[in-house]
Amino acid sequence: METFDLSRYRNIVFFTGAGMSAESGVPTYRGKGGIWGSYSIEEYACQQAFDRNPEKVLGFHEKRRRSVLDCEPHEGHRVIARMPDARVVTQNIDGMHQRAGSQEVIELHGSLWRLRCDNCGHNKEDLGRSYEARRCACGSWLRPDIIWFGDMLDPLVMSRAAEAIGNCDLFISIGTSGTVWPAAGFPDLARKSGACCIEINPEPSGATRYDRVVEGAAGEVLPKLFGSC
Ligand code: APR
């Protein structure tokens, strides 16, 4: 595989989904071994589930934090991190891009490493294997600061992502099934702004909107395409 010539591009966006972290050992959501194959969204990934049983939902997310901490970013994450001018827009909540060294990551779906209180508005970083506290000082349950099914995306985060993608000239989508909106519309947004669009995925989405589809795993393809950049 030939190295991709980046010299023509000024505004590069890497748009990543769960497949970006798959080779690190973090399971994807759909497909073989996917999280939603073993855990139901209704029981673990929506506000109603949290309201019904906060301990159970917090326990699930704490388990996910532990499994992510047992994983390490791979060379693909590091290749992206070595391109400081490129923007990273991710659907992932695992913090792997940051652990690899990416400084500015637009996290569409929030982060496993933050908790918030919907009662008093307190929002705090919490990086350990176990939560420092499950309740806020105000007495309410803290919830993971992530987007569950049925939640609205943070409009500020969404507008930063749309601005980055709407102004990019190279858009590289990696490891997403492209099934969850509004992120599923991002390749079209990039295309409309005239960007060259590349997809990297061992099982490409089949969308026709990409100029180039590289059928392969992120950890193998990224170093080959961009490793010497
Ligand atoms: N390299 C690149 N892509 C990979 C790899 C790999 N090593 N392994 C798997 N993939 C691809 C799969 O082929 C699939 O297209 O990653 C994609 C994972 O898709 P999903 O599990 O649907 O993950 P994602 O698209 O990120 O899901 C979006 O849905 O469940 C919600 O909030 C959750 O952020 C998540 C959102």
Side-chain angles (χ1 to χ4, degrees):
M1 194 182 300
E2 270 181 44
T3 306
F4 191 84
D5 179 13
L6 284 174
S7 62
R8 291 191 293 137
Y9 301 99
R10 293 280 160 269
N11 297 306
I12 301 168
V13 169
F14 288 96
F15 172 56
T16 64
M20 180 73 214
S21 299
E23 289 149 280
S24 291
V26 182
T28 59
Y29 292 98
R30 298 170 184 81
K32 198 166 160 267
I35 290 173
W36 303 144
S38 316
Y39 294 93
S40 94
I41 288 164
E42 294 74 22
E43 272 183 80
Y44 294 100
C46 60
Q47 184 66 43
Q48 293 88 329
F50 184 70
D51 293 342
R52 261 194 319 269
N53 194 339
E55 289 272 36
K56 179 173 162 178
V57 172
L58 282 167
F60 164 68
H61 289 88
E62 202 171 45
K63 198 167 150 196
R64 289 203 59 198
R65 283 157 60 109
R66 281 199 281 268
S67 72
V68 169
L69 285 178
D70 289 338
C71 300
E72 293 296 329
H74 57 67
E75 192 49 28
H77 291 108
R78 286 190 281 272
V79 164
I80 294 175
R82 283 198 291 271
M83 299 167 62
D85 294 335
R87 322 262 309 255
V88 180
V89 178
T90 189
Q91 294 168 91
N92 298 344
I93 58 175
D94 58 24
M96 283 291 185
H97 285 295
Q98 291 91 330
R99 275 171 66 193
S102 286
Q103 301 283 327
E104 276 198 40
V105 181
I106 301 175
E107 293 178 307
L108 286 171
H109 293 170
S111 170
L112 265 180
W113 311 106
R114 285 195 310 271
L115 288 167
R116 70 165 197 254
C117 173
D118 281 344
N119 181 44
C120 71
H122 184 60
N123 188 312
K124 65 169 196 160
E125 195 175 62
D126 183 325
L127 303 174
R129 293 181 77 80
S130 304
Y131 295 123
E132 282 164 26
R134 290 184 169 213
R135 282 192 187 267
C136 181
C138 78
S140 297
W141 289 102
L142 289 163
R143 63 156 271 179
D145 190 19
I146 61 179
I147 302 295
W148 282 326
F149 286 85
D151 289 350
M152 296 284 289
L153 259 68
D154 180 330
L156 270 178
V157 176
M158 187 59 196
S159 75
R160 283 178 62 212
E163 184 270 322
I165 293 164
N167 290 306
C168 73
D169 52 10
L170 179 62
F171 176 86
I172 303 143
S173 167
I174 308 163
T176 176
S177 56
T179 50
V180 173
W181 286 83
F186 284 168
D188 284 332
L189 177 60
R191 229 185 145 60
K192 264 195 206 135
S193 49
C196 168
C197 297
I198 301 177
E199 178 177 25
I200 300 172
N201 197 318
E203 292 174 50
S205 62
T208 50
R209 55 200 173 209
Y210 291 101
D211 298 288
R212 179 168 175 193
V213 174
V214 185
E215 208 168 312
E220 287 171 26
V221 173
L222 283 163
K224 285 183 189 153
L225 275 186
F226 306 114
S228 59
C229 298

